[in-house]
Amino acid sequence: MIVSTSPLDREKIPEYNLTVVAEDLGSPPFRTITQYTIRLTDENDNAPVFSKPVYEVAVVENNAPGAYITTVVARDMDMGSNGKVTYKLADTYFMGSPISTFVSVDPASGSLYALRSFNYEVMKQLELRITASDGGSPPLSGSASVYVRIIDQNDNAPLILQPPLNNGSAEVLLPRDAPTGYIVTRVEARDADEGTNSELSYGLATGEPSVFSVNKVTGNIYLNQVLSHDVDETLSVTVTVSDNGRPALTSTATLHFLIVAGSPPSDRTVYQAGGGDEASAQWDLSVVIIVVLAGSCTLLLLAIILIATTCNRRRRDKSGEDSDSYGEKGTLERGRSHAGTTRCCHSTERRGRCRSVWRRWRSRSGG
Ligand SMILES: [Ca+2]
Ligand SMILES: [Ca+2]
Ligand SMILES: [Ca+2]
Ligand SMILES: [Ca+2]
């Protein structure tokens, strides 16, 4: 009887060649040699394994429905139907709808296809899970995640919100006595795209470019000159708003300025530099802040120096007084103990005092 001494694994060694020798105990012995081939039958002991646990792919929005996305691959080490892999989308939901309404997977090849046109403005990415099952009994399965990143396309033109447009135009009141640099109105627009596809710049297309100018960043419309009194009742310009996409998309609005008598309201900000930038105003403000800060720092430094100098002088005065008082006492003490020691007297007055003390001491001690 031939028995195995360890577990056999078809995926490691599918076939064994054995040489069996049968020998009798006679003298001389006779023997028979027979070759055996042992082929292992397969058991479904391997689940399908994906080439990656997570697949990351990118799809440009506005794709055609049915567009190819990517292919996932899972391998199964087993044989025949035990190793035959079938792919399937896991039943998940995305934005309230079954994932199977967004993408489909080819069960045999693992290729993934879009079922609808993706809109970046609605969904930025799609997450799904794919399972791979073998044909064993019972079947084994593995799974992998797929992240589909949607890439933005410049598919939205700027939308002008202010002033509110009616059939692409708006009426704006303009006081006849408005000064140069008066901000007549501000055009405000939004773009649903992202990044450079939504970066907006404002311009003037047609109309009265000598009378009006626009700040290309803020959309402020400035009056370039004081209106002459023979000017018409209405002036108009066409404002363009373009995004920075490739190709760029542009929206336009026609502004009709209705000239009304009088001066502009006093609370309306006026920039004297006609068509000027707020940037220059901001720059002026930052210069003022820098100057104020620098001035404060200088004052603080001067105050510190002044305090330090005063303290130093006081300390010197104090130590001078101390040494003076010590000098007198010291002279006396030393004078008493060591006759004839040299004395240290600084001022004439003090020296005089020292001499009289010295004389008194000598007259007392010398007798
Ligand atoms: Ca197997
Ligand atoms: Ca298998
Ligand atoms: Ca877009
Ligand atoms: Ca855009």
Side-chain angles (χ1 to χ4, degrees), residues 61 121 152-153 155-156 193:
E61 67 168 325
E121 283 68 51
D152 185 36
Q153 227 181 18
D155 56 345
N156 290 281
D193 297 313

Side-chain angles (χ1 to χ4, degrees), residues 11 42-43 45-46 78:
E11 281 74 52
D42 185 43
E43 197 184 48
D45 56 347
N46 290 282
D78 297 316

Side-chain angles (χ1 to χ4, degrees), residues 9-11 41-46 76-79 82:
D9 187 355
R10 189 206 63 84
E11 281 74 52
T41 54
D42 185 43
E43 197 184 48
N44 190 24
D45 56 347
N46 290 282
D76 191 301
M77 301 278 281
D78 297 316
M79 238 176 96
N82 287 343

